[in-house]
Structures are given as structure tokens and as C-alpha cells.
Amino acid sequence: MPRTYEEECSYIDRLSDVKFQIKKGFVPNMNVEGRFYVNKNLEGLMFDELKQAVDGGGIGGFLPAVRQIANVASLPGIVGHSIGLPDIHSGYGFSIGNIAAFDVADPQSVISPGGVGFDINCGVRLLRTNLFESDVAPVKEQLVQSLFDHIPVGVGSRGAIPMGARDLIECLEMGMDWTLREGYSWAEDKEHCEEYGRMLQADASKVSMRAKKRGLPQLGTLGAGNHYAEVQVVDEIYNDHAASKMGIDEVGQVVVMLHCGSRGLGHQVATDALVEMERAMARDNIFVNDKQLACARISSKEGQDYLAGMAAAANFAWVNRSCITFCVRQAFSRVFDMSADDMDMQMIYDVSHNVAKMEEHLINGRPRRLCVHRKGATRAFPAHHPLIPVDYQLTGQPVLIGGSMGTCSYVLTGTDQGMVETFGTTCHGAGRALSRAKSRRSIPWDAVIEDLGKKNISIRIASPKLIMEEAPESYKNVTDVVDTCDAAGISKKAIKLRPIAVIKG
Amino acid sequence: MADTNNRCTKEDEKKRFEYLDHPADVQIHSWGPDFKNALEAALLAMFNYMTDLDKIEEKYDMFYTAKGRDLETLIFATLDEALNTFQSEPFFIAKSVKITSFDEKTFEVKFCGWGDSFDLSKHPQEADIKAITYSNMQVLQKEDRCDIYVIVDI
């Protein structure tokens, strides 16, 4: 007998203005409780989704995010809580915007490719310049065209960086050390990148031939969907000290934001791992509530192979973002007839929002080594954490939050509270609210273009249909998302950015 | 999960596939008189989501085999094979496909596609499909009709 909506809601309690608890029993076998963070505006979306699923009687459709959080809470070896962030929406196995940590010392603990997502190490990178909006305004159209010409975008596009099979293997194992050696990155770039742009456990031999074949032509391409390159200006500074550490001193300063991932290579690594793990689950008698939560014991061969392959894909993503960074610097130099160095085009930071990492956290006051899955969630370590760069030791790690097309983006900083509550993690972006198909039907193409025109945003897009799918109306309001994290104390706002030019697949 | 404003059109009826709502991704719904036909339509639906099939010429053919343990894993393997020849050399996109053999006992199919290599100067870019998923995958078989539902990651 399925539960009614009211019965379902009896398992969900409000803990504070922005924090909710999902009690054990909401789904079978929960090892820990669930938590999720939403403010008033986002709360409605979250509960509507659950209501729709209950009304639909479970036929067709998809699992609502709350139930996915609870299903993740039932995985073996999970510690703390299964946590949903404000930008959460239903995904494959894990919701997008779900964090789960597993105790590495516990032999039952698992790792799940569904907890990382298909686009391994999809992430955001922010470059600053010493230009101001008034410098860019007269040449904005040339600049956006130049960026569009320099960066390969959209489905079927191929990278401009010459690559052979041996180069690819080096990329996979060396990450940004490769782009540094080949002259695509600056030495300072590595310093301002999560993991310094290289995961050491990467093993290229754990990446299938098929994945490598997909990766080779796609290196240095932006991709499609929600990936983009944006020229933005600083709209508001909330924290002067943190902003100045990032090289942002004044409103109106121009920055460039990149959002992309590991392309076909990462997607194939995830696909291959899912197939392998299904087999391992049957062998090791791992039972899960939802068969999409394919996973393997961390210590098993499949688990270790996935960790090595995922790390290689993560390195590939950093190489990819670095190659695009190179293209961006070239495009700017061309348009302004100045070297990128003279324009101070330094990297502020580079964050990953689809990755699993081995980290030390305090559980009941004791340090534990955990395998932290962040899917659609960004690491946000506080000040003085040993894993963040020297420049940000006093401010906390910069967290880059990309908005939806035509809306603002944010730079946040990590907090001690986040370290305690969410394994040093915060939101990653706006998060979808409308389905792609619905966006195509309900949002008129010219209205989106007109709206961007009104806001004085130039756009270049490879696929015209995408413009409706990616319209701001299809997404949650990024300001609500960021404000919820700020109110919950898991990250603090530092800078608000507003786009002036967008390049998309 | 097709809602009332999402009924398929006459054109969909001819092509035997449609795209249904999903928050972040797209659900392909394809159908046909039997499993083979529905799977052929699902393959075309996948290619059609990435470019406009009307713009593709049938220049050469491509042969594939795929194997699963049951119908779901077979659908996954079939679509994954086809996605891979699009996402890497020779960037093949099929305008038409034919399943030449389907072994119901070993869950093995052989199929052939007719199409062209994707070329940015000739073919429009639409959405990029990242991966095939098992998410809510359904195969509904009746005597005279088979429906396949599969969600692809965008």
C-alpha cells in the first residue's frame, strides 16, 4: 500500500529556516538520516516534485530528489548524513546536488559512479583581467566573435590542440602538469586549481580504448548542454578582503568564466564503470533500493579501477579547461592587441563539481578518512585548511557558482560551518527547474533573444534549439540557491558577477 | 509520463519516436510492431537529437553488433555502440538503420546503419548526448506493438 503525500511528509521535519531532516524509515534500510537545504522559494519546488511522484503512483516518471537522498542514505558504509543542497534536482541514482561520504576504513563502504555523474570533473574556472566594462564595451561584438572562433563548441566539434595517442595517455596521467609542460598553462594556474590540476591516483590503463577514442578528438572543446564560456563583470563585492585576495578590487572589472568537463572520455569512463559494477554487486551481495545506484566496495578491484579511471578522467577535464583557457587568452590578446600577461589574465580558481575524493574529516570529533562523493556540489574548504592555496589561506577557498544563461554568477568562500555540516561542500549552480522538452515547448525563442538583448548580453550559440532549453526560466533562481547556502552558513558570498557575453554549445 | 500537452504528433507517429519530459535529460520513447522495430526507432531518435537527420545523406554503411544479458542491457549496449561511432572516428551519423538479426536467447543483435560522417560545415549541431542510462528504462511488449522508454544524459 503506497503512502499518501501527507504520510510521506511526516518523515520530513524542519530543523531551521533553511534546513530539513529526512528521518529513517522514509525508504527502507536507511543507515543515516537525510538532510536538505532549501529556502522558502525552493521549498515549494522540492515538495511539489514529491507530491507529483506520489500522485503519479510511481508509474513512469522519475524519482523525486528527496527520495533519491534517502536511497543514498541506505548505501553501505555511509557516514554523517546524505545531504541535498539547494540546487538539487532529480538525477541518475544520486540527485544532482547530493553529497555522500563513506568511511574508507569500513570494509562494507562503497564507491558509486552514480554519485559522481557522467561528466566526471565537470567544473568551473574563473579568470580575471585588469580590464573594465568600459574597455570591453566598444569591442564587445568582436570579442565574443573571437572567443566563438577560438573555442570549439557544440556537438561534433573537434579540438584545435594537436594530439596523438601518446599525448592523450600523458594528459590522463599528468593533468595540468602536461598543459604546463606543453606551454598551454601558466605556472600560476596550477597553484589556483583544486588538487593542483592533477589527481595522482590516475591510471590511464584503467581508461578503456573506447573512452580514449572519444576523448582524443574532443580535447579542448567546450561541449554542449549547460556548458559555456562567459565574459562577466563584477557587479557587487560583499567581502572586500576576500575579493582583493582574488585580485578583484572594483565593481566593473571584467572576468571570464568557463564551465565544462571531461567530455566524451569522462562519459565513457562512467558508462564502462556502471556496467562493471553491476556485475560486482551481484557477486558481493550488495543490495540497494534503486538499481541505478550501482556501486562497488571501495577496496574491490572494480572500486579501485573506477577510482583510477575517474582520476584520469578528472585530469582530462583539467587539461580540457586549460586548453580552453589558452584559447580565451589568445582571443583576448587578438582583440585588445596586448599580451594576456599584460591584461593580468590570471586564474582566480578552478573548482570541480562532479567528483569523488579521499579526504580527512572529523566524525564525532575523530579524524576519519572518507570517500566524499560530490555530484553537482562544490568543495568549499574553510580558511587555514591545508589543501587550499597559500593565497586563500586567510579567506577560505573560492567557490565558483555559475548561474543560468543571462543571469548572474557568484564567487563564495568556504566556511568552518560547512566543514562541520556538509563535509566542506556547498552548491554548484542554479539547478534545473523545468524539463528540457517543456522548455522547448513553452519558452519562445525570440523572447529569450529579446530578453538577452535588453540586458545587453551578446550571445553566440552553436545549436539554436538549446537557447530555449537553457533559458533562465528553465532553472532555479541562482540567487535563492546562493542565499540559502549563505543563510545556512555552509558558504559565504564574496562577489556577484553579471554576464555581458555568452558562448554556448 | 506523457502529459496531455505532450501527445505525439502525426509526424512523430510516422517516425515512431518522440521525446518526453525529464528535468535535466531527455526521455526517448520509441515504438513499433515488434522489439526490433522499436529498437531501430530508438536508434534514429538518438541520432536525430544530435543533428537534423533530413540534412544527412546516405553515403556509406556501418555494421554493428551488440550483446546484453536481457532486453534492457541489450538496448543499453546497442545505443552505446551507435553513440560511440558518432562520438569518435568516423563520427558516423545514421539516417536509417536496420536490425539484421536479433537472437532472443543470447540477447545479441546485428545491425546496420546508412549515413555519413558528421561535418560541421554541412550538418546542424543540436544537443550533445553524453551517455545512455538505465534510469527508468522500460520495454513494454504486447502482441502487435512494442514500446521502449530510455533516458539519455544530456
Side-chain angles (χ1 to χ4, degrees):
Chain A
M1 174 70 192
R3 291 193 297 242
T4 63
Y5 174 64
E6 284 67 32
E7 284 167 337
E8 294 271 295
C9 286
S10 69
Y11 287 92
I12 303 173
D13 275 344
R14 176 188 289 278
L15 294 180
S16 78
D17 280 352
V18 292
K19 188 155 94 170
F20 289 80
Q21 167 193 39
I22 305 171
K23 287 191 282 199
K24 288 188 187 178
F26 183 63
V27 302
N29 307 321
M30 283 172 73
N31 293 318
V32 296
E33 291 184 339
R35 290 280 184 277
F36 63 93
Y37 296 86
V38 283
N39 71 1
K40 266 266 155 299
N41 300 339
L42 300 169
E43 199 183 312
L45 285 169
M46 193 86 177
F47 284 94
D48 282 351
E49 197 186 55
L50 177 63
K51 190 161 187 341
Q52 268 173 22
V54 175
D55 293 347
I59 299 160
F62 48 87
L63 284 177
V66 253
R67 209 166 287 162
Q68 288 191 319
I69 297 174
N71 281 335
V72 168
S74 68
L75 289 175
I78 188 168
V79 292
H81 306 292
S82 168
I83 302 162
L85 294 163
D87 46 349
I88 199 162
H89 60 86
S90 178
Y92 180 85
F94 283 59
S95 294
I96 322 290
N98 194 174
I99 323 161
F102 299 84
D103 187 345
V104 178
D106 180 348
Q108 301 294 318
S109 286
V110 293
I111 180 159
S112 169
V116 172
F118 282 104
D119 201 353
I120 295 169
N121 194 4
C122 181
V124 179
R125 176 176 287 201
L126 190 65
L127 308 173
R128 68 172 183 237
T129 71
N130 56 14
L131 303 170
F132 280 83
E133 195 177 4
S134 53
D135 301 320
V136 172
V139 291
K140 200 169 80 170
E141 287 306 317
Q142 284 112 289
L143 180 65
V144 63
Q145 188 59 43
S146 174
L147 285 167
F148 192 68
D149 295 340
H150 276 81
I151 307 171
V153 296
V155 60
S157 60
R158 290 168 219 177
I161 308 276
M163 282 279 282
R166 179 170 299 167
D167 298 315
L168 182 70
I169 290 178
E170 289 183 346
C171 279
L172 293 175
E173 301 202 334
M174 293 169 68
M176 275 176 75
D177 284 334
W178 184 84
T179 49
L180 185 60
R181 191 186 75 190
E182 300 293 312
Y184 297 115
S185 290
W186 298 352
E188 301 92 321
D189 292 354
K190 242 177 79 71
E191 186 66 26
H192 283 184
C193 185
E194 215 172 300
E195 302 281 318
Y196 303 98
R198 178 179 189 174
M199 279 179 122
L200 290 169
Q201 85 260 28
D203 182 350
S205 70
K206 303 295 180 200
V207 176
S208 69
M209 200 34 118
R210 177 167 274 204
K212 286 177 187 147
K213 268 189 80 181
R214 277 181 76 169
L216 198 53
Q218 293 182 346
L219 187 83
T221 61
L222 193 66
N226 58 358
H227 294 163
Y228 61 80
E230 266 186 3
V231 182
Q232 305 171 333
V233 294
V234 174
D235 197 45
E236 211 176 330
I237 298 175
Y238 306 100
N239 181 341
D240 288 325
H241 174 62
S244 91
K245 282 281 175 199
M246 298 175 205
I248 300 292
D249 296 311
E250 271 179 78
V251 168
Q253 200 173 334
V254 172
V255 296
V256 182
M257 185 178 270
L258 302 174
H259 175 205
C260 65
S262 50
R263 309 289 292 112
L265 184 131
H267 312 159
Q268 195 63 39
V269 168
T271 302
D272 293 342
L274 285 169
V275 174
E276 285 295 311
M277 286 192 182
E278 270 195 355
R279 263 182 238 141
M281 279 166 75
R283 183 195 63 205
D284 297 344
N285 297 317
I286 304 175
F287 299 102
V288 292
N289 289 344
D290 173 5
K291 79 168 193 294
Q292 295 171 50
L293 288 170
C295 56
R297 305 236 186 271
I298 296 176
S299 53
S300 70
K301 183 176 179 298
E302 289 78 9
Q304 289 297 315
D305 284 357
Y306 175 67
L307 270 171
M310 180 205 71
N315 287 344
F316 183 85
W318 281 310
V319 171
N320 197 36
R321 285 200 282 278
S322 299
C323 291
I324 296 172
T325 304
F326 175 77
C327 297
V328 168
R329 286 173 177 155
Q330 290 281 319
F332 267 75
S333 310
R334 204 61 59 92
V335 171
F336 291 97
D337 197 20
M338 267 165 88
S339 77
D341 208 19
D342 286 337
M343 285 180 280
D344 189 34
M345 293 186 74
Q346 296 284 357
M347 222 169 103
I348 291 179
Y349 207 61
D350 177 309
V351 295
S352 329
H353 51 223
N354 276 7
V355 80
K357 279 199 230 181
M358 299 297 177
E359 287 171 6
E360 293 259 328
H361 287 272
L362 293 176
I363 297 291
N364 302 327
R366 310 285 309 166
R368 288 278 175 117
R369 199 167 144 74
L370 304 180
C371 177
V372 184
H373 291 63
R374 294 191 180 95
K375 182 182 192 181
T378 319
R379 191 187 78 174
F381 280 166
H384 312 300
H385 194 286
L387 291 181
I388 65 175
V390 179
D391 292 341
Y392 303 126
Q393 276 293 325
L394 297 178
T395 62
Q397 179 209 315
V399 180
L400 312 171
I401 306 300
S404 46
M405 184 175 69
T407 63
C408 48
S409 298
Y410 288 88
V411 182
L412 319 175
T413 50
T415 63
D416 289 317
Q417 173 108 16
M419 206 61 196
V420 176
E421 279 196 29
T422 56
F423 305 104
T425 312
T426 190
C427 61
H428 84 302
R432 286 197 78 86
L434 272 190
S435 74
R436 290 184 180 273
K438 195 170 264 169
S439 304
R440 282 196 188 190
R441 285 196 309 271
S442 60
I443 304 170
W445 187 80
D446 39 348
V448 184
I449 293 288
E450 198 182 322
D451 185 51
L452 289 172
K454 256 188 226 149
K455 290 183 187 154
N456 214 359
I457 302 170
S458 310
I459 181 158
R460 295 290 184 282
I461 192 158
S463 158
K465 267 189 203 165
L466 199 70
I467 209 160
M468 288 97 82
E469 293 187 6
E470 293 292 324
E473 293 89 326
S474 314
Y475 283 87
K476 292 175 183 160
N477 183 348
V478 66
T479 305
D480 275 330
V481 170
V482 167
D483 286 346
T484 307
C485 293
D486 200 86
I490 57 176
S491 57
K492 284 287 160 200
K493 291 197 283 188
I495 305 169
K496 182 181 177 188
L497 305 162
R498 140 178 83 79
I500 56 171
V502 187
I503 285 112
K504 277 184 85 78
Chain B
M1 77 164 189
D3 54 30
T4 44
N5 56 6
N6 192 31
R7 290 265 49 111
C8 60
T9 59
K10 280 218 175 76
E11 207 181 313
D12 290 338
E13 204 52 68
K14 213 173 84 197
K15 289 190 293 202
R16 292 189 285 116
F17 62 77
E18 60 174 345
Y19 304 108
L20 301 178
D21 279 0
H22 186 274
D25 302 318
V26 162
Q27 187 171 38
I28 292 173
H29 171 210
S30 71
W31 59 91
D34 57 19
F35 177 75
K36 256 165 66 174
N37 280 284
L39 187 57
E40 284 169 3
L43 280 161
L44 286 184
M46 183 180 77
F47 283 121
N48 187 60
Y49 206 75
M50 300 189 283
T51 186
D52 182 357
L53 288 189
D54 294 338
K55 301 270 169 38
I56 304 285
E57 288 174 70
E58 295 188 3
K59 287 218 173 133
Y60 62 96
D61 50 11
M62 187 91 171
F63 293 88
Y64 303 87
T65 53
K67 194 173 181 331
R69 295 183 314 270
D70 48 31
L71 286 181
E72 275 94 18
T73 47
L74 177 62
I75 294 169
F76 184 94
T78 307
L79 295 177
D80 191 41
E81 284 292 331
L83 183 65
N84 261 288
T85 52
F86 171 73
Q87 294 272 4
S88 54
E89 290 283 347
F91 310 102
F92 179 74
I93 199 137
K95 187 186 178 77
S96 61
V97 289
K98 174 98 191 121
I99 293 183
T100 49
S101 84
F102 166 46
D103 188 326
E104 286 175 67
K105 290 204 181 69
T106 59
F107 297 102
E108 203 169 345
V109 291
K110 290 192 167 67
F111 60 106
C112 179
W114 289 268
D116 193 2
S117 288
F118 186 77
D119 181 346
L120 285 178
S121 62
K122 288 191 285 187
H123 308 133
Q125 291 172 291
E126 291 191 5
D128 193 12
I129 293 180
K130 288 179 185 169
I132 318 300
T133 77
Y134 285 116
S135 177
N136 203 35
M137 193 190 277
Q138 291 173 9
V139 187
L140 308 174
Q141 279 184 302
K142 285 187 220 133
E143 240 165 60
D144 56 343
R145 182 180 160 108
C146 175
D147 286 80
I148 294 177
Y149 293 86
V150 52
I151 293 175
V152 292
D153 197 61
I154 303 291

